[in-house]
Amino acid sequence: MSVELNYQDTGGEGTPLIVVHGLLGSADNWRSHVKQWQDRRRVVAVDLRNHGRSPHAEGMSYHEMAEDLLALMDRLHIEKAHLLGHSMGGKVVISLARLAPDRVASLIVADIAPQAYGHGHDAVFAGLRHLQRGNPTNRREADELLAEHVDERATRLFLATNLERAESGELVLRVGLDQIEAGYQDIMQEPAGEGAFEGPVLVLRGGRSHYVPDAALSGLREVLPHSQLVTLDEAGHWLHAEQPEAFQSAVNDFLDSLAD
């Protein structure tokens, strides 16, 4: 059964752009980008299941997350959309495009390939569990707890976007950490569906990221044969945060080139 996703909708005319965050992200992370894009088109930013303000539910397979997104499109009476997904969200939008290609005007895939990946979030999960047990009352305390497992300050700041204040006064995680950890093996797998998506695709990758190496491009083009590749040389995996203007420009150029 699909989950009724939380979303932010700017309204507007034309084919909407639906924005899908990555693992442990949320629609809130895309606020500055949405503010720019909404002058040009309708934008819908979503919280995937177990993320942001969306409900917590068992199951993190790409088939389930794509079905959630498709159900949201139905609920908003969106017949067809441009889909932008970063990292895990990129696999979600590829899954939807393979399962329901008639609902997809184009794909924008940010720093992910349609393949399985190795486990790389042990320290992050350990830090979040340690934070939970520590019951921090302010963000300085939360950062100190996370720092015992996560060295990179930028990563800790990103993870801290998942904190909210409980009625008791403590800072608590709003993500469904139990469900995400239980479904982590599925998150690392390749997208759902079979075959290729034959529509237009923009693949954006960070030049300092290891997620889409040149060795992955032949496999990527088997699934997304009409993809054009743009590399943001000075960016890592969070390319939309590290080079926001270049990221926005690449997305705008791609969407403007399509008959909307």
Side-chain angles (χ1 to χ4, degrees), residues 104-123:
V104 180
S106 74
L107 287 184
I108 302 164
V109 179
D111 212 56
I112 201 74
Q115 65 183 40
Y117 285 79
H119 291 204
H121 293 84
D122 290 351

Side-chain angles (χ1 to χ4, degrees), residues 167-200:
E167 290 183 10
S168 61
E170 298 167 347
L171 289 173
V172 297
L173 290 170
R174 65 183 183 179
V175 294
L177 191 56
D178 291 345
Q179 294 86 351
I180 291 170
E181 276 201 281
Y184 185 69
Q185 184 63 41
D186 285 336
I187 294 169
M188 291 298 102
Q189 296 307 307
E190 63 186 40
E194 296 180 356
F197 170 67
E198 297 291 345

Side-chain angles (χ1 to χ4, degrees), residues 38-258:
Q38 69 182 3
D39 292 336
R40 308 168 72 99
R41 64 184 65 249
R42 180 184 178 186
V43 186
V44 179
V46 306
D47 290 331
L48 294 172
R49 59 168 59 197
N50 300 311
H51 289 77
R53 297 174 185 83
S54 283
H56 297 177
E58 297 299 327
M60 290 293 295
S61 74
Y62 286 108
H63 195 285
E64 289 167 311
M65 289 192 280
E67 289 291 340
D68 291 344
L69 192 54
L70 200 54
L72 177 64
M73 290 175 67
D74 290 342
R75 186 154 51 104
L76 297 180
H77 307 291
I78 296 173
E79 187 176 330
K80 208 166 195 176
H82 304 289
L83 302 179
L84 185 163
H86 172 246
S87 197
M88 179 183 77
K91 289 190 183 182
V92 173
V93 301
I94 293 170
S95 300
L96 194 153
R98 291 170 108 180
L99 295 167
D102 57 314
R103 306 294 297 275
V104 180
S106 74
L107 287 184
I108 302 164
V109 179
D111 212 56
I112 201 74
Q115 65 183 40
Y117 285 79
H119 291 204
H121 293 84
D122 290 351
V124 166
F125 288 138
L128 291 173
R129 290 295 185 191
H130 187 57
L131 185 153
Q132 275 186 326
R133 293 190 294 271
N135 299 318
T137 58
N138 59 57
R139 291 188 175 271
R140 179 184 56 78
E141 291 177 5
D143 187 67
E144 289 172 354
L145 289 165
L146 280 172
E148 294 185 39
H149 293 273
V150 180
D151 293 332
E152 301 83 7
R153 177 162 169 76
T155 302
R156 299 199 305 271
L157 288 171
F158 167 71
L159 295 173
T161 63
N162 291 296
L163 290 170
E164 61 184 5
R165 195 165 296 281
E167 290 183 10
S168 61
E170 298 167 347
L171 289 173
V172 297
L173 290 170
R174 65 183 183 179
V175 294
L177 191 56
D178 291 345
Q179 294 86 351
I180 291 170
E181 276 201 281
Y184 185 69
Q185 184 63 41
D186 285 336
I187 294 169
M188 291 298 102
Q189 296 307 307
E190 63 186 40
E194 296 180 356
F197 170 67
E198 297 291 345
V201 180
L202 171 66
V203 176
L204 285 156
R205 65 174 178 174
R208 296 177 177 174
S209 171
H210 64 273
Y211 277 78
V212 191
D214 289 346
L217 295 181
S218 61
L220 184 149
R221 292 199 168 98
E222 286 181 14
V223 177
L224 307 171
H226 304 293
S227 58
Q228 57 187 75
L229 178 69
V230 172
T231 303
L232 303 184
D233 291 328
E234 301 304 313
H237 184 54
W238 284 286
L239 63 178
H240 56 295
E242 295 171 41
Q243 289 202 290
E245 291 180 2
F247 186 89
Q248 285 174 14
S249 178
V251 170
N252 288 337
D253 289 347
F254 172 70
L255 292 177
D256 288 348
S257 72
L258 305 175

